[in-house]
């Protein structure tokens, strides 16, 4: 069991797109980072660990609607990430509380020929509250424990 903070630390350009830099902070030190932005009505990951995603990985269509489906076909650091994601409405319970969420699932994703599954839950006004994935028998689960509003 690990604990960490995710913070939007600044805005940076990735190519021509202004992105939010999110950092994973463990014991006061940045351990990982990614860049997210909304472009053409899609929340997408533009980079991870300083490596650009080509094209950006679509995480969520906006505004989200139950039944939405979209394809992922991106390359990140030489690895191909492919599959179909589907959005649905679902109640979710995490340590931070009970929420009405948009559940995005990809049960048959492909990472360089290896099958994996991913499911994540977004909550309006909060963000990502839960993420579950499984790859090569390794199951990973992230759950939101608390929300600390940023300073304006």
């Amino acid at each position: 069991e690990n604990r960490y903070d995710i913070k939007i630390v600044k805005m940076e350009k990735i190519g021509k797109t202004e992105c939010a830099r999110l950092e994973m902070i463990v014991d006061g030190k940045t351990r990982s980072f990614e860049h997210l932005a909304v472009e053409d009505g899609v929340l997408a990951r533009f980079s991870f660990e300083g490596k650009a995603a080509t094209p950006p990985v679509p995480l969520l269509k906006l505004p989200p609607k139950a039944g939405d489906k979209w394809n992922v076909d991106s390359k990140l650091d030489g690895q191909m990430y492919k599959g179909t994601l589907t959005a649905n409405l679902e109640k979710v319970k995490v340590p931070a509380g009970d929420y009405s969420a948009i559940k995005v699932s990809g049960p048959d994703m492909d990472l360089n020929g290896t099958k994996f599954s991913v499911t994540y839950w977004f909550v309006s006004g909060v963000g990502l509250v839960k993420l579950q994935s499984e790859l090569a028998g390794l199951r990973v689960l992230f759950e939101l424990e608390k929300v600390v509003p940023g300073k304006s």
Side-chain angles (χ1 to χ4, degrees):
E1 227 178 86
N2 295 310
R3 301 270 189 287
Y4 58 89
D5 294 323
I6 300 286
K7 292 183 180 180
I8 297 174
V9 296
K10 61 183 168 180
M11 300 300 289
E12 294 180 323
K13 280 206 171 191
I14 301 297
K16 296 178 180 177
T17 304
E18 190 76 11
C19 297
R21 179 183 168 119
L22 283 76
E23 294 186 355
M24 176 190 281
I25 301 166
V26 180
D27 297 327
K29 294 184 180 177
T30 299
R31 301 290 183 196
S32 179
F33 68 96
E34 65 182 340
H35 289 90
L36 303 180
V38 174
E39 187 172 76
D40 299 325
V42 175
L43 172 65
R45 176 177 292 120
F46 281 72
S47 81
F48 184 76
E49 299 294 330
K51 296 167 181 79
T54 311
V57 179
L59 302 174
L60 183 66
K61 290 174 85 175
L62 300 173
K65 293 189 271 313
D68 277 351
K69 286 186 179 195
W70 60 95
N71 292 323
V72 175
D73 190 357
S74 298
K75 189 173 187 178
L76 179 65
D77 196 25
Q79 298 198 43
M80 294 304 300
Y81 179 51
K82 295 181 179 187
T84 300
L85 295 171
T86 304
N88 284 296
L89 302 176
E90 183 175 287
K91 299 279 186 190
V92 64
K93 181 180 179 83
V94 296
D98 297 342
Y99 298 98
S100 293
I102 296 293
K103 175 184 174 184
V104 176
S105 57
D108 297 308
M109 302 299 287
D110 183 291
L111 180 63
N112 273 350
T114 302
K115 297 295 180 196
F116 76 99
S117 66
V118 64
T119 304
Y120 45 91
W121 291 259
F122 284 104
V123 173
S124 180
V126 177
L128 182 66
V129 299
K130 184 174 179 179
L131 182 141
Q132 181 177 307
S133 67
E134 188 168 340
L135 173 66
L138 178 64
R139 186 171 179 237
V140 176
L141 175 66
F142 296 102
E143 293 183 313
L144 182 68
E145 288 188 347
K146 66 179 179 178
V147 177
V148 179
K151 298 172 185 163
S152 298

